[in-house]
Amino acid sequence: MPIRTVTVLGAGTMGHGIAHAAAAGGYETRMYDVAAESIDKGRRAVEAIVAKGVELGKVTAAEADAIRRRLTATTSLPEALADTDFIIEAAPERIDLKVALFGEIDRLAPDRALVATNTSALSITEIAGSTRRASRVAGMHFFNPVHKMKLVEIVQALESAPETLQAIEDVARRMGKETVLVRESPGFITTRVNASIGNEAFYMLMEGVATARDIDKALKLGLNHPMGPFELVDLVGLDTRLSILEYLHRSLGEKYRPCPLLAQYVKAGRLGRKAGRGVYEY
Ligand code: NAD
């Protein structure tokens, strides 16, 4: 089934970037959000990406206009889902909310429509299991900021059909992304590895093995990581990292136990750049 129309549910941090990527990939794109302010903000954010692309010579003025024309935005869910081919859900990370939204998708979207969820950690099998179309649901995990990050993790839930995974791969490629396929598992590939490295770095700091600056420097210059683990956790948020580790610890076992020093930093309010201080002061 050729995919012509893509609907993105949620116009927040991830949703607007995904909608931009879909429109830039040539799809008729609809961006939906419950909040009119989020739609306005999402539209402005897409416009900023498009304008910057023209300024940098990555897209021509004509291509930029075509992207703008292909992207519409609405707060009406029936309008967003009517006769659409492919839905990407990027609503808040709450299972109750996602299950309710997937119920609406079942009710309002055509049966043929495939649904990809951008969830970072919720069970896609559980979300899919709440619908009438479990074989047409899978994960499509983008990275922030979407227009700069090349990777999409395609996540196979228990009942995702091979054709669904193939269609997601095709869409991702048209968006200019590279893909990896992963079976549903806590943290997929990237979050699991990244959380482990970050946790190990905190253990080393706690044990006094080296300073934070030297651990960051070692990973950047010795292992070619673009950012050090402490620079990265300050960007991600120490509270976010702690809750990811708690989840991996609960679901995968002892080796993911969050380092006590990380928990202590969070208690002290050292949450990272957003708080003005994390491992480093800003
Ligand atoms: P966000 O809070 O920035 O945006 C969520 C948007 O969803 C908001 O604009 C909100 O108004 C809207 N919304 C609320 N209820 C809705 C509903 N019922 N239907 C549609 N939209 C609704 O969140 P985000 O960071 O964009 O995260 C969205 C999803 O992407 C989450 O599942 C998250 O785990 C995942 N994710 C986030 C990142 C990241 O770095 N932020 C990376 C990968 C995946």
Side-chain angles (χ1 to χ4, degrees):
M1 178 199 73
I3 290 168
R4 292 181 50 253
T5 306
V6 172
T7 299
V8 182
L9 303 177
T13 310
M14 299 305 289
H16 83 263
I18 297 168
H20 163 263
Y27 296 108
E28 290 302 322
T29 306
R30 303 171 191 162
M31 183 168 72
Y32 161 81
D33 202 289
V34 280
E37 315 85 78
S38 299
I39 289 283
D40 290 343
K41 210 169 148 205
R43 269 193 167 287
R44 283 197 302 275
V46 171
E47 180 49 38
I49 299 169
V50 173
K52 189 80 188 168
V54 175
E55 191 188 312
L56 295 175
K58 289 184 178 170
V59 286
T60 65
E63 282 162 354
D65 280 341
I67 294 172
R68 292 183 184 105
R69 268 198 309 278
R70 285 194 287 267
L71 179 65
T72 56
T74 177
T75 53
S76 158
L77 193 56
E79 200 179 293
L81 293 175
D83 201 31
T84 192
D85 301 316
F86 192 92
I87 300 157
I88 306 174
E89 174 274 312
E93 188 78 334
R94 281 182 22 217
I95 189 75
D96 56 330
L97 188 149
K98 296 212 196 258
V99 165
L101 191 52
F102 272 67
E104 291 297 292
I105 293 172
D106 259 356
R107 202 167 65 80
L108 298 168
D111 282 344
R112 68 169 194 280
L114 304 175
V115 197
T117 169
N118 185 43
T119 182
S120 300
L122 299 174
S123 167
I124 300 162
T125 300
E126 184 179 350
I127 297 170
S130 73
T131 72
R132 285 190 277 106
R133 61 178 93 209
S135 67
R136 289 193 294 285
V137 177
M140 189 174 192
H141 187 231
F142 289 86
F143 293 80
N144 183 23
V146 175
H147 68 287
K148 288 198 177 147
M149 300 296 285
K150 282 299 267 183
L151 186 69
V152 167
E153 285 177 308
I154 301 176
V155 188
Q156 180 177 14
L158 187 70
E159 296 186 291
S160 308
E163 308 81 68
T164 304
L165 303 172
Q166 184 61 54
I168 293 179
E169 179 169 352
D170 294 344
V171 170
R173 283 194 188 284
R174 268 188 61 185
M175 290 176 166
K177 305 298 179 197
E178 291 289 331
T179 63
V180 292
L181 179 63
V182 47
R183 274 207 215 106
E184 182 174 308
S185 166
F188 311 140
I189 299 174
T190 50
T191 307
R192 181 164 160 182
V193 170
N194 203 25
S196 298
I197 293 173
N199 208 30
E200 197 57 41
F202 264 106
Y203 273 112
M204 289 169 78
L205 189 62
M206 188 174 76
E207 291 163 15
V209 172
T211 63
R213 292 227 179 267
D214 277 356
I215 294 170
D216 274 352
K217 188 173 175 183
L219 268 82
K220 285 191 288 187
L221 303 185
L223 300 180
N224 244 355
H225 288 207
M227 290 177 83
F230 296 120
E231 291 168 344
L232 186 57
V233 77
D234 274 358
L235 198 64
V236 168
L238 276 72
D239 50 341
T240 304
R241 172 60 60 73
L242 179 61
S243 67
I244 291 169
L245 278 162
E246 285 168 343
Y247 162 68
L248 293 175
H249 182 223
R250 270 196 312 277
S251 45
L252 295 172
E254 202 45 35
K255 70 179 172 181
Y256 299 93
R257 178 183 289 282
C259 174
L261 183 63
L262 166 62
Q264 212 175 12
Y265 270 58
V266 171
K267 285 193 188 119
R270 302 186 71 110
L271 303 183
R273 281 180 179 271
K274 64 186 172 188
R277 59 196 199 126
V279 179
Y280 300 114
E281 306 271 341
Y282 297 92

